Amino acid sequence: KPYIDSLYRTKPEREYTALAGSSLGGLISLYGGIKFADTFGFLGVFSPAYWINKTEIFELVENSDFQPKTKIYTLMGGQEGAKMVEQFEEMNILLSKKLNAENLRTKLQPKAKHNEAFWRSEFEAMFKFFVE
């Protein structure tokens, strides 16, 4: 990020900076947003692979204080596997205790699967949530 900010005319402040990804990228987006809370104001967490390190990411969220204006958009497809949906719902409960309700958007699409077409179809909704 410092390199991009030095190379291009960006607005480097956290209120203009998002981190988003899907699957493992969704997991790392949540992690990065917590570890670098002064840098990222918006997090897009699509179909996060919490199963990779469930204990660590849940503990990190549990022990973190989010900045007041952090906005998180979480997304999961109902056809991604029962364990993934279960962990998604668990994390959303935890996040709802950490963030103001207007700063957390959670969406479970019952018929959606773990793929780029699903994530692409939800990108606009995520973006609109960030800028509203």
Side-chain angles (χ1 to χ4, degrees):
K1 174 148 171 38
Y3 175 73
I4 296 295
D5 290 338
S6 72
L7 193 61
Y8 299 101
R9 294 183 325 154
T10 64
K11 291 183 176 183
E13 297 84 7
R14 78 180 296 278
E15 61 265 23
Y16 304 109
T17 306
L19 184 60
S22 55
S23 195
L24 189 53
L27 175 66
I28 199 69
S29 294
L30 181 60
Y31 173 82
I34 294 169
K35 293 301 270 188
F36 300 98
D38 292 337
T39 301
F40 299 103
F42 310 106
L43 306 176
V45 183
F46 284 16
S47 302
Y50 293 134
W51 57 271
I52 297 246
N53 66 346
K54 183 180 184 243
T55 301
E56 292 84 357
I57 193 68
F58 274 74
E59 285 178 1
L60 180 65
V61 171
E62 181 68 45
N63 295 319
S64 295
D65 292 319
F66 289 86
Q67 293 200 12
K69 294 187 178 185
T70 298
K71 291 181 96 172
I72 301 178
Y73 186 99
T74 65
L75 174 71
M76 180 67 68
Q79 302 300 310
E80 296 194 49
K83 198 66 159 174
M84 285 187 71
V85 171
E86 177 185 312
Q87 292 173 354
F88 173 76
E89 291 173 339
E90 277 182 68
M91 179 59 79
N92 291 338
I93 291 168
L94 182 56
L95 288 169
S96 70
K97 294 176 184 176
K98 297 285 187 171
L99 296 166
N100 295 330
E102 66 271 7
N103 291 342
L104 178 63
R105 180 79 39 92
T106 63
K107 193 170 187 181
L108 178 63
Q109 291 285 51
K111 295 183 179 180
K113 296 180 180 177
H114 193 86
N115 61 51
E116 289 80 5
F118 168 48
W119 303 323
R120 180 177 54 247
S121 74
E122 294 293 332
F123 186 85
E124 183 178 349
M126 177 194 70
F127 184 78
K128 286 180 178 179
F129 172 66
F130 287 169
V131 298
E132 68 182 25

